[in-house]
Structure formats: structure tokens, C-alpha cells
Amino acid sequence: MAFGLLAKTVNVSLLDSFLFSLLVFAGASQFMALDLIKAGIATGDIIIATLLLNLRHIMMSASLSVRLKESKKKWLLFIAFGITDETFAVASLKKGPLTRAFLLALQGLSYIAWVSGSVVGYLVGAVLPMTLQSSLGIGLYAMFAAILTPEIRKSLNVLILSIISGLIYFIIYYFHLLPSGWDLIGTIILSSGIGLMVLKDEEEVI
């Protein structure tokens, strides 16, 4: 429901919100896209930013593929589409090999809940007072904080990387080093490169 509620606050139509969840099905990217839409960023820049954010799905797919029993190629497209942070986490906790039936059931239920929840959230948001709708915008930042906080508690390097990322964005944005909309994309690219070095060193120590 959260996505639908927030989509309503940034004046995205009900149909677009529905299609967004139906075709994209990537929570973090959808929330980030709403933030970029609210900021007036161009469509092309939003697509690039979400693509960069979703590159992590390649690693998720690779991780699950080694545990997946033989499955016909036609089903692999559906399984790949259904990989999200949540479904990956649940699948990773399952012991033993993964079956096509398990993954499709897991992802199918998640997909139905996400799409229907987006519509319900939008409709609920339509009847909320305007002041309450406006205040829901903070939910975007709360969501990212909720994702980041557990990782920070596990690793000091993640905290350092988060601070560095914030500083990079501030410098690029404040000094107008990149065109509007590309400040976030530039931050993602630079932070990802730094993160590869920082977190790689951490893994080697472990």
C-alpha cells in the first residue's frame, strides 16, 4: 500500500501507478522513481537511475541460479522478473535446492500483493486529507533509512560508505558539477565504485 499512497502524493495517476507496479515490480526503484518524479527529473534520467539501482538483481539471479533445479528456459524469464529484495531473502533462507514451483509460488504471491496493494494504497490516499497526503512524502526517506540502518549496524564500512555517498551527492549538487537529474546517477556510479573497494576489503578480512 505504501507505494500507492506515496504515488498519490506526487500526482501520479492511478493507471500509471498500477502499470508502474505491474511492469516494474521493484520496490526500491519505484520509490526512488517517485522521489525523482517529485523533483522534476527527466524520464530518461529516471530510467537510467533505476537501471543502475537494479543492477544488484544480476547478483541475486546468479546466486539463486546455482540452487535452482533444471527448469525450462521459458520459465526462467518469469523467475528472473519476480526476483526482488524480499523474494530473494525468503528464497535464500530455504534450505536445499530451489524448485520452479516454489519460486513461482513465492514470487506470484508477492507480485499479486504488491500490485493490488499499490492500487488499494492509491485509493486510500485519495480520501485522506491533503495535509496528511503531503506528510507522507517523508515515507520515501523513512523507507531508505529502514533499509540502510540494519546494514550500518552490521558494518562500520557501510556507515562510512553512506557518509561518503552523502558527501559526494552534496558536492555534485551544490557545485552543479552535473546537469539536473544526473547528480543522483553520478553519485550512484561513484559510490558503487568506492563500495566495491571498501566492502571487498571487508570480505577479505572476514
Side-chain angles (χ1 to χ4, degrees):
M1 290 179 62
F3 176 76
L5 283 167
L6 293 172
K8 180 69 174 62
T9 66
V10 297
N11 297 319
V12 175
S13 70
L14 175 59
L15 177 60
D16 288 342
S17 299
F18 168 71
L19 292 175
F20 213 154
S21 292
L22 185 73
L23 301 176
V24 178
F25 188 45
S29 295
Q30 289 182 229
F31 281 111
M32 183 182 72
L34 287 182
D35 202 19
L36 296 176
I37 291 172
K38 185 177 181 180
I41 305 303
T43 302
D45 294 338
I46 294 175
I47 292 173
I48 294 174
T50 53
L51 174 63
L52 291 173
L53 182 60
N54 280 341
L55 287 178
R56 70 191 189 284
H57 288 185
I58 296 176
M59 300 303 296
M60 294 180 185
S61 300
S63 175
L64 294 181
S65 66
V66 298
R67 298 178 53 202
L68 179 63
K69 289 185 176 180
E70 290 188 10
S71 181
K72 294 182 180 180
K73 290 184 177 180
K74 66 179 181 180
W75 293 108
L76 295 180
L77 291 175
F78 294 100
I79 293 173
F81 175 75
I83 293 177
T84 64
D85 295 322
E86 294 76 16
T87 58
F88 174 76
V90 174
S92 297
L93 292 174
K94 185 179 184 298
K95 296 181 180 180
L98 297 172
T99 63
R100 180 186 68 195
F102 172 79
L103 287 176
L104 289 177
L106 169 66
Q107 295 172 344
L109 289 173
S110 178
Y111 183 63
I112 293 171
W114 178 255
V115 175
S116 60
S118 297
V119 174
V120 172
Y122 192 99
L123 295 175
V124 170
V127 299
L128 293 177
M130 186 57 66
T131 52
L132 184 56
Q133 290 185 32
S134 300
S135 66
L136 289 174
I138 197 174
L140 292 170
Y141 306 103
M143 188 274 298
F144 284 116
I147 293 174
L148 188 60
T149 300
E151 298 303 319
I152 289 177
R153 295 177 64 182
K154 295 177 185 176
S155 170
L156 177 62
N157 281 342
V158 174
L159 173 60
I160 295 173
L161 181 60
S162 300
I163 295 173
I164 292 174
S165 300
L167 290 174
I168 291 174
Y169 179 79
F170 173 78
I171 292 171
I172 293 176
Y173 178 81
Y174 185 80
F175 292 101
H176 305 288
L177 300 180
L178 292 173
S180 177
W182 282 88
D183 43 13
L184 180 60
I185 297 173
T187 302
I188 292 174
I189 294 173
L190 291 174
S191 299
S192 298
I194 296 172
L196 284 174
M197 294 183 289
V198 172
L199 299 181
K200 180 181 179 181
D201 291 340
E202 183 178 79
E203 290 178 356
E204 289 176 351
V205 171
I206 293 174

mmCIF file of all heavy atoms in Angstrom, residues 153-186:
data_model
loop_
_atom_site.group_PDB
_atom_site.id
_atom_site.type_symbol
_atom_site.label_atom_id
_atom_site.label_comp_id
_atom_site.label_asym_id
_atom_site.label_seq_id
_atom_site.Cartn_x
_atom_site.Cartn_y
_atom_site.Cartn_z
ATOM 1 N N ARG A 153 24.377 -1.197 11.162
ATOM 2 C CA ARG A 153 24.600 -1.836 12.463
ATOM 3 C C ARG A 153 25.528 -3.041 12.342
ATOM 4 O O ARG A 153 26.214 -3.408 13.294
ATOM 5 C CB ARG A 153 23.264 -2.260 13.068
ATOM 6 C CG ARG A 153 22.352 -1.085 13.412
ATOM 7 C CD ARG A 153 21.023 -1.548 13.946
ATOM 8 N NE ARG A 153 21.162 -2.267 15.203
ATOM 9 C CZ ARG A 153 20.144 -2.806 15.864
ATOM 10 N NH1 ARG A 153 18.912 -2.704 15.367
ATOM 11 N NH2 ARG A 153 20.343 -3.440 16.999
ATOM 12 N N LYS A 154 25.549 -3.646 11.156
ATOM 13 C CA LYS A 154 26.399 -4.817 10.947
ATOM 14 C C LYS A 154 27.837 -4.434 10.603
ATOM 15 O O LYS A 154 28.760 -5.188 10.877
ATOM 16 C CB LYS A 154 25.838 -5.678 9.807
ATOM 17 C CG LYS A 154 24.490 -6.306 10.079
ATOM 18 C CD LYS A 154 24.026 -7.074 8.848
ATOM 19 C CE LYS A 154 22.630 -7.627 9.006
ATOM 20 N NZ LYS A 154 22.154 -8.295 7.767
ATOM 21 N N SER A 155 28.005 -3.282 9.960
ATOM 22 C CA SER A 155 29.325 -2.958 9.419
ATOM 23 C C SER A 155 29.628 -1.469 9.519
ATOM 24 O O SER A 155 28.831 -0.634 9.081
ATOM 25 C CB SER A 155 29.408 -3.406 7.954
ATOM 26 O OG SER A 155 30.569 -2.910 7.330
ATOM 27 N N LEU A 156 30.787 -1.156 10.066
ATOM 28 C CA LEU A 156 31.245 0.229 10.128
ATOM 29 C C LEU A 156 31.541 0.754 8.731
ATOM 30 O O LEU A 156 31.329 1.938 8.445
ATOM 31 C CB LEU A 156 32.501 0.327 11.002
ATOM 32 C CG LEU A 156 33.146 1.718 11.111
ATOM 33 C CD1 LEU A 156 32.173 2.708 11.742
ATOM 34 C CD2 LEU A 156 34.438 1.639 11.923
ATOM 35 N N ASN A 157 32.003 -0.130 7.853
ATOM 36 C CA ASN A 157 32.318 0.285 6.484
ATOM 37 C C ASN A 157 31.077 0.775 5.737
ATOM 38 O O ASN A 157 31.159 1.675 4.903
ATOM 39 C CB ASN A 157 32.959 -0.871 5.707
ATOM 40 C CG ASN A 157 34.425 -1.047 6.056
ATOM 41 O OD1 ASN A 157 35.046 -0.144 6.606
ATOM 42 N ND2 ASN A 157 34.973 -2.208 5.759
ATOM 43 N N VAL A 158 29.928 0.168 6.030
ATOM 44 C CA VAL A 158 28.684 0.604 5.395
ATOM 45 C C VAL A 158 28.333 2.016 5.853
ATOM 46 O O VAL A 158 27.878 2.846 5.064
ATOM 47 C CB VAL A 158 27.531 -0.371 5.712
ATOM 48 C CG1 VAL A 158 26.207 0.172 5.176
ATOM 49 C CG2 VAL A 158 27.814 -1.741 5.112
ATOM 50 N N LEU A 159 28.562 2.294 7.131
ATOM 51 C CA LEU A 159 28.326 3.642 7.657
ATOM 52 C C LEU A 159 29.245 4.646 6.967
ATOM 53 O O LEU A 159 28.803 5.721 6.538
ATOM 54 C CB LEU A 159 28.558 3.670 9.165
ATOM 55 C CG LEU A 159 28.505 5.056 9.835
ATOM 56 C CD1 LEU A 159 27.141 5.703 9.622
ATOM 57 C CD2 LEU A 159 28.829 4.940 11.319
ATOM 58 N N ILE A 160 30.517 4.284 6.854
ATOM 59 C CA ILE A 160 31.486 5.168 6.196
ATOM 60 C C ILE A 160 31.088 5.397 4.742
ATOM 61 O O ILE A 160 31.121 6.526 4.241
ATOM 62 C CB ILE A 160 32.901 4.565 6.282
ATOM 63 C CG1 ILE A 160 33.362 4.515 7.742
ATOM 64 C CG2 ILE A 160 33.882 5.376 5.438
ATOM 65 C CD1 ILE A 160 34.666 3.783 7.948
ATOM 66 N N LEU A 161 30.691 4.325 4.066
ATOM 67 C CA LEU A 161 30.285 4.431 2.664
ATOM 68 C C LEU A 161 29.046 5.315 2.517
ATOM 69 O O LEU A 161 28.942 6.096 1.568
ATOM 70 C CB LEU A 161 30.013 3.037 2.094
ATOM 71 C CG LEU A 161 29.596 2.967 0.622
ATOM 72 C CD1 LEU A 161 30.680 3.569 -0.269
ATOM 73 C CD2 LEU A 161 29.317 1.526 0.222
ATOM 74 N N SER A 162 28.124 5.212 3.463
ATOM 75 C CA SER A 162 26.909 6.033 3.424
ATOM 76 C C SER A 162 27.250 7.509 3.571
ATOM 77 O O SER A 162 26.697 8.363 2.861
ATOM 78 C CB SER A 162 25.953 5.607 4.547
ATOM 79 O OG SER A 162 25.589 4.257 4.418
ATOM 80 N N ILE A 163 28.163 7.805 4.488
ATOM 81 C CA ILE A 163 28.579 9.196 4.693
ATOM 82 C C ILE A 163 29.287 9.731 3.452
ATOM 83 O O ILE A 163 29.040 10.859 3.006
ATOM 84 C CB ILE A 163 29.494 9.307 5.930
ATOM 85 C CG1 ILE A 163 28.705 8.949 7.197
ATOM 86 C CG2 ILE A 163 30.078 10.714 6.046
ATOM 87 C CD1 ILE A 163 29.553 8.863 8.447
ATOM 88 N N ILE A 164 30.170 8.907 2.881
ATOM 89 C CA ILE A 164 30.887 9.311 1.666
ATOM 90 C C ILE A 164 29.901 9.576 0.528
ATOM 91 O O ILE A 164 30.030 10.554 -0.211
ATOM 92 C CB ILE A 164 31.907 8.229 1.255
ATOM 93 C CG1 ILE A 164 33.042 8.157 2.278
ATOM 94 C CG2 ILE A 164 32.471 8.516 -0.138
ATOM 95 C CD1 ILE A 164 34.019 7.027 2.035
ATOM 96 N N SER A 165 28.905 8.701 0.399
ATOM 97 C CA SER A 165 27.900 8.868 -0.659
ATOM 98 C C SER A 165 27.140 10.177 -0.484
ATOM 99 O O SER A 165 26.877 10.894 -1.459
ATOM 100 C CB SER A 165 26.920 7.689 -0.643
ATOM 101 O OG SER A 165 27.590 6.471 -0.865
ATOM 102 N N GLY A 166 26.790 10.471 0.770
ATOM 103 C CA GLY A 166 26.097 11.726 1.041
ATOM 104 C C GLY A 166 26.944 12.937 0.691
ATOM 105 O O GLY A 166 26.448 13.917 0.123
ATOM 106 N N LEU A 167 28.226 12.862 1.011
ATOM 107 C CA LEU A 167 29.138 13.966 0.698
ATOM 108 C C LEU A 167 29.312 14.128 -0.814
ATOM 109 O O LEU A 167 29.362 15.252 -1.330
ATOM 110 C CB LEU A 167 30.497 13.724 1.360
ATOM 111 C CG LEU A 167 30.531 13.853 2.891
ATOM 112 C CD1 LEU A 167 31.892 13.434 3.426
ATOM 113 C CD2 LEU A 167 30.206 15.286 3.308
ATOM 114 N N ILE A 168 29.411 13.004 -1.515
ATOM 115 C CA ILE A 168 29.546 13.057 -2.975
ATOM 116 C C ILE A 168 28.329 13.741 -3.592
ATOM 117 O O ILE A 168 28.454 14.621 -4.453
ATOM 118 C CB ILE A 168 29.714 11.639 -3.559
ATOM 119 C CG1 ILE A 168 31.075 11.058 -3.166
ATOM 120 C CG2 ILE A 168 29.580 11.660 -5.093
ATOM 121 C CD1 ILE A 168 31.258 9.613 -3.573
ATOM 122 N N TYR A 169 27.147 13.335 -3.128
ATOM 123 C CA TYR A 169 25.923 13.938 -3.671
ATOM 124 C C TYR A 169 25.871 15.433 -3.367
ATOM 125 O O TYR A 169 25.501 16.243 -4.231
ATOM 126 C CB TYR A 169 24.694 13.249 -3.092
ATOM 127 C CG TYR A 169 23.397 13.849 -3.597
ATOM 128 C CD1 TYR A 169 22.910 13.522 -4.862
ATOM 129 C CD2 TYR A 169 22.676 14.759 -2.826
ATOM 130 C CE1 TYR A 169 21.734 14.076 -5.338
ATOM 131 C CE2 TYR A 169 21.508 15.327 -3.297
ATOM 132 C CZ TYR A 169 21.041 14.977 -4.553
ATOM 133 O OH TYR A 169 19.886 15.546 -5.028
ATOM 134 N N PHE A 170 26.234 15.791 -2.135
ATOM 135 C CA PHE A 170 26.206 17.205 -1.742
ATOM 136 C C PHE A 170 27.135 18.035 -2.623
ATOM 137 O O PHE A 170 26.757 19.110 -3.103
ATOM 138 C CB PHE A 170 26.613 17.354 -0.275
ATOM 139 C CG PHE A 170 26.771 18.788 0.157
ATOM 140 C CD1 PHE A 170 25.664 19.571 0.441
ATOM 141 C CD2 PHE A 170 28.036 19.357 0.256
ATOM 142 C CE1 PHE A 170 25.806 20.900 0.822
ATOM 143 C CE2 PHE A 170 28.191 20.687 0.641
ATOM 144 C CZ PHE A 170 27.075 21.460 0.925
ATOM 145 N N ILE A 171 28.341 17.533 -2.854
ATOM 146 C CA ILE A 171 29.322 18.268 -3.660
ATOM 147 C C ILE A 171 28.837 18.416 -5.103
ATOM 148 O O ILE A 171 28.898 19.503 -5.691
ATOM 149 C CB ILE A 171 30.693 17.554 -3.622
ATOM 150 C CG1 ILE A 171 31.284 17.651 -2.206
ATOM 151 C CG2 ILE A 171 31.655 18.163 -4.638
ATOM 152 C CD1 ILE A 171 32.516 16.801 -1.998
ATOM 153 N N ILE A 172 28.349 17.309 -5.671
ATOM 154 C CA ILE A 172 27.875 17.358 -7.060
ATOM 155 C C ILE A 172 26.679 18.294 -7.190
ATOM 156 O O ILE A 172 26.592 19.097 -8.130
ATOM 157 C CB ILE A 172 27.498 15.942 -7.551
ATOM 158 C CG1 ILE A 172 28.747 15.062 -7.640
ATOM 159 C CG2 ILE A 172 26.819 16.009 -8.921
ATOM 160 C CD1 ILE A 172 28.455 13.622 -8.013
ATOM 161 N N TYR A 173 25.757 18.202 -6.227
ATOM 162 C CA TYR A 173 24.536 19.012 -6.286
ATOM 163 C C TYR A 173 24.822 20.486 -6.001
ATOM 164 O O TYR A 173 24.372 21.373 -6.735
ATOM 165 C CB TYR A 173 23.520 18.472 -5.280
ATOM 166 C CG TYR A 173 22.235 19.268 -5.208
ATOM 167 C CD1 TYR A 173 21.227 19.074 -6.147
ATOM 168 C CD2 TYR A 173 22.038 20.216 -4.206
ATOM 169 C CE1 TYR A 173 20.051 19.803 -6.091
ATOM 170 C CE2 TYR A 173 20.870 20.956 -4.145
ATOM 171 C CZ TYR A 173 19.876 20.746 -5.084
ATOM 172 O OH TYR A 173 18.719 21.481 -5.025
ATOM 173 N N TYR A 174 25.592 20.756 -4.959
ATOM 174 C CA TYR A 174 25.829 22.138 -4.529
ATOM 175 C C TYR A 174 26.644 22.921 -5.554
ATOM 176 O O TYR A 174 26.373 24.099 -5.814
ATOM 177 C CB TYR A 174 26.543 22.143 -3.177
ATOM 178 C CG TYR A 174 26.721 23.528 -2.587
ATOM 179 C CD1 TYR A 174 25.663 24.159 -1.934
ATOM 180 C CD2 TYR A 174 27.939 24.204 -2.696
ATOM 181 C CE1 TYR A 174 25.815 25.428 -1.392
ATOM 182 C CE2 TYR A 174 28.097 25.473 -2.160
ATOM 183 C CZ TYR A 174 27.036 26.079 -1.514
ATOM 184 O OH TYR A 174 27.182 27.346 -0.985
ATOM 185 N N PHE A 175 27.634 22.264 -6.136
ATOM 186 C CA PHE A 175 28.509 22.950 -7.087
ATOM 187 C C PHE A 175 28.068 22.759 -8.545
ATOM 188 O O PHE A 175 28.778 23.164 -9.461
ATOM 189 C CB PHE A 175 29.953 22.470 -6.916
ATOM 190 C CG PHE A 175 30.569 22.882 -5.609
ATOM 191 C CD1 PHE A 175 30.672 21.977 -4.559
ATOM 192 C CD2 PHE A 175 31.024 24.178 -5.413
ATOM 193 C CE1 PHE A 175 31.233 22.350 -3.339
ATOM 194 C CE2 PHE A 175 31.586 24.563 -4.198
ATOM 195 C CZ PHE A 175 31.684 23.652 -3.159
ATOM 196 N N HIS A 176 26.914 22.117 -8.733
ATOM 197 C CA HIS A 176 26.341 21.928 -10.075
ATOM 198 C C HIS A 176 27.361 21.294 -11.031
ATOM 199 O O HIS A 176 27.573 21.766 -12.153
ATOM 200 C CB HIS A 176 25.864 23.267 -10.650
ATOM 201 C CG HIS A 176 24.891 23.988 -9.768
ATOM 202 N ND1 HIS A 176 23.586 23.563 -9.593
ATOM 203 C CD2 HIS A 176 25.038 25.094 -8.983
ATOM 204 C CE1 HIS A 176 22.959 24.388 -8.764
ATOM 205 N NE2 HIS A 176 23.816 25.315 -8.373
ATOM 206 N N LEU A 177 27.983 20.221 -10.578
ATOM 207 C CA LEU A 177 29.004 19.560 -11.384
ATOM 208 C C LEU A 177 28.406 18.742 -12.527
ATOM 209 O O LEU A 177 29.095 18.440 -13.501
ATOM 210 C CB LEU A 177 29.864 18.650 -10.496
ATOM 211 C CG LEU A 177 30.623 19.352 -9.353
ATOM 212 C CD1 LEU A 177 31.430 18.330 -8.564
ATOM 213 C CD2 LEU A 177 31.527 20.450 -9.902
ATOM 214 N N LEU A 178 27.135 18.376 -12.379
ATOM 215 C CA LEU A 178 26.454 17.599 -13.412
ATOM 216 C C LEU A 178 25.099 18.236 -13.711
ATOM 217 O O LEU A 178 24.549 18.952 -12.869
ATOM 218 C CB LEU A 178 26.255 16.148 -12.952
ATOM 219 C CG LEU A 178 27.519 15.289 -12.800
ATOM 220 C CD1 LEU A 178 27.163 13.939 -12.175
ATOM 221 C CD2 LEU A 178 28.201 15.081 -14.143
ATOM 222 N N PRO A 179 24.553 17.980 -14.901
ATOM 223 C CA PRO A 179 23.228 18.516 -15.238
ATOM 224 C C PRO A 179 22.170 18.005 -14.266
ATOM 225 O O PRO A 179 22.352 16.969 -13.615
ATOM 226 C CB PRO A 179 22.979 17.987 -16.660
ATOM 227 C CG PRO A 179 24.328 17.661 -17.188
ATOM 228 C CD PRO A 179 25.147 17.225 -16.012
ATOM 229 N N SER A 180 21.071 18.723 -14.174
ATOM 230 C CA SER A 180 19.982 18.337 -13.288
ATOM 231 C C SER A 180 19.519 16.914 -13.580
ATOM 232 O O SER A 180 19.285 16.538 -14.727
ATOM 233 C CB SER A 180 18.799 19.301 -13.474
ATOM 234 O OG SER A 180 17.707 18.911 -12.669
ATOM 235 N N GLY A 181 19.396 16.121 -12.537
ATOM 236 C CA GLY A 181 18.978 14.733 -12.686
ATOM 237 C C GLY A 181 20.137 13.758 -12.704
ATOM 238 O O GLY A 181 19.988 12.600 -12.319
ATOM 239 N N TRP A 182 21.293 14.242 -13.150
ATOM 240 C CA TRP A 182 22.457 13.372 -13.220
ATOM 241 C C TRP A 182 23.272 13.379 -11.937
ATOM 242 O O TRP A 182 24.211 12.605 -11.794
ATOM 243 C CB TRP A 182 23.345 13.781 -14.401
ATOM 244 C CG TRP A 182 22.794 13.300 -15.698
ATOM 245 C CD1 TRP A 182 21.894 13.935 -16.498
ATOM 246 C CD2 TRP A 182 23.076 12.056 -16.339
ATOM 247 N NE1 TRP A 182 21.603 13.172 -17.602
ATOM 248 C CE2 TRP A 182 22.316 12.012 -17.533
ATOM 249 C CE3 TRP A 182 23.897 10.969 -16.026
ATOM 250 C CZ2 TRP A 182 22.352 10.930 -18.406
ATOM 251 C CZ3 TRP A 182 23.942 9.889 -16.897
ATOM 252 C CH2 TRP A 182 23.170 9.881 -18.067
ATOM 253 N N ASP A 183 22.917 14.272 -11.001
ATOM 254 C CA ASP A 183 23.647 14.303 -9.742
ATOM 255 C C ASP A 183 23.472 12.994 -8.973
ATOM 256 O O ASP A 183 24.431 12.442 -8.428
ATOM 257 C CB ASP A 183 23.214 15.498 -8.881
ATOM 258 C CG ASP A 183 21.711 15.705 -8.880
ATOM 259 O OD1 ASP A 183 20.981 14.798 -9.324
ATOM 260 O OD2 ASP A 183 21.270 16.777 -8.435
ATOM 261 N N LEU A 184 22.243 12.473 -8.967
ATOM 262 C CA LEU A 184 21.985 11.209 -8.281
ATOM 263 C C LEU A 184 22.639 10.046 -9.014
ATOM 264 O O LEU A 184 23.224 9.151 -8.395
ATOM 265 C CB LEU A 184 20.476 10.978 -8.159
ATOM 266 C CG LEU A 184 20.048 9.686 -7.459
ATOM 267 C CD1 LEU A 184 20.583 9.650 -6.032
ATOM 268 C CD2 LEU A 184 18.529 9.555 -7.452
ATOM 269 N N ILE A 185 22.545 10.062 -10.341
ATOM 270 C CA ILE A 185 23.147 8.990 -11.134
ATOM 271 C C ILE A 185 24.662 8.973 -10.947
ATOM 272 O O ILE A 185 25.279 7.917 -10.772
ATOM 273 C CB ILE A 185 22.785 9.162 -12.625
ATOM 274 C CG1 ILE A 185 21.271 9.038 -12.814
ATOM 275 C CG2 ILE A 185 23.518 8.128 -13.481
ATOM 276 C CD1 ILE A 185 20.798 9.357 -14.215
ATOM 277 N N GLY A 186 25.272 10.161 -10.970
ATOM 278 C CA GLY A 186 26.712 10.249 -10.750
ATOM 279 C C GLY A 186 27.100 9.744 -9.378
ATOM 280 O O GLY A 186 28.119 9.055 -9.212
#
